[in-house]
Amino acid sequence: MADADNGPNSSDVWQERASPAPRATGEWLVKFMLAEGWAVPMLSRFTYLADDPYAVHLEFHLAMKNPVRWAFAREILIEGVLRSTGRGDVRAWPTYEDTLWLCLHNLEGEALVEMPIAPLNDWLERTYELVSPGQEHRHQALDADTWLWHLVNDKRPDGGEGKHR
């Protein structure tokens, strides 16, 4: 999912999100591939929020008012450093030069990004400290419908039974 609205009235929603949840952020240069053999270095920012445990938020800082933003599954990066993964809009695969290729696709086009694996792995380790892989379901906030279902069915969100206090 990309957000490239860089018009005069666009809002910087991700910057304004005031989540009290712990987060892991990382910034480093990636190579934005424009054509075969022609790449432009670009600052990227990776953000992981413990209350949005399945997603990674990636921003590319271009010469526009707002950065271009993508949100996709953390699992793609976890697997992508080891083997080719992903289908559809986001795909990732490692190379033999300690880099990861990330292909991002939407209706407006496709972007191919090359990034070093070392800072990505360091950042992923920090996300694991917040939420271990496979434990995301324990950190995801319940939506109002799910909470109401638990109340009506006299179940606690943690799976137990009994009245809520």
Side-chain angles (χ1 to χ4, degrees):
M1 174 171 85
D3 172 20
D5 182 11
N6 287 293
N9 295 321
S10 64
S11 65
D12 203 1
V13 175
W14 287 5
Q15 292 289 3
E16 295 172 4
R17 182 172 178 203
S19 173
R23 67 183 60 215
T25 59
E27 289 186 1
W28 59 89
L29 286 177
V30 300
K31 292 180 184 175
F32 189 78
M33 306 306 288
L34 299 175
E36 189 174 332
W38 192 39
V40 174
M42 182 183 332
L43 183 62
S44 63
R45 176 184 298 137
F46 289 78
T47 304
Y48 180 80
L49 301 167
D51 66 351
D52 190 8
Y54 292 101
V56 166
H57 301 276
L58 174 58
E59 296 178 351
F60 295 110
H61 296 270
L62 306 169
M64 294 187 283
K65 180 180 176 190
N66 293 318
V68 174
R69 297 180 177 97
W70 282 81
F72 54 90
R74 176 176 69 161
E75 187 68 23
I76 290 174
L77 294 177
I78 293 171
E79 288 186 26
V81 298
L82 302 172
R83 67 184 86 56
S84 181
T85 189
R87 291 188 297 178
D89 293 348
V90 182
R91 298 184 316 273
W93 61 95
T95 69
Y96 297 108
E97 293 91 31
D98 294 325
T99 60
L100 175 88
W101 287 98
L102 186 64
C103 183
L104 305 167
H105 177 81
N106 67 16
L107 296 176
E108 297 172 12
E110 190 169 83
L112 184 60
V113 179
E114 181 183 22
M115 65 185 72
I117 287 180
L120 177 61
N121 274 335
D122 291 344
W123 177 79
L124 283 171
E125 286 294 327
R126 290 189 288 128
T127 73
Y128 303 158
E129 292 171 7
L130 296 176
V131 178
S132 298
Q135 299 300 310
E136 293 89 353
H137 65 284
R138 297 182 185 274
H139 297 269
Q140 189 168 16
L142 290 175
D143 63 359
D145 291 334
T146 304
W147 185 252
L148 181 60
W149 182 89
H150 286 288
L151 287 173
V152 169
N153 291 291
D154 201 22
K155 303 262 186 207
R156 293 193 319 246
D158 63 5
E161 295 188 347
K163 297 290 180 191
H164 300 282
R165 302 204 192 271

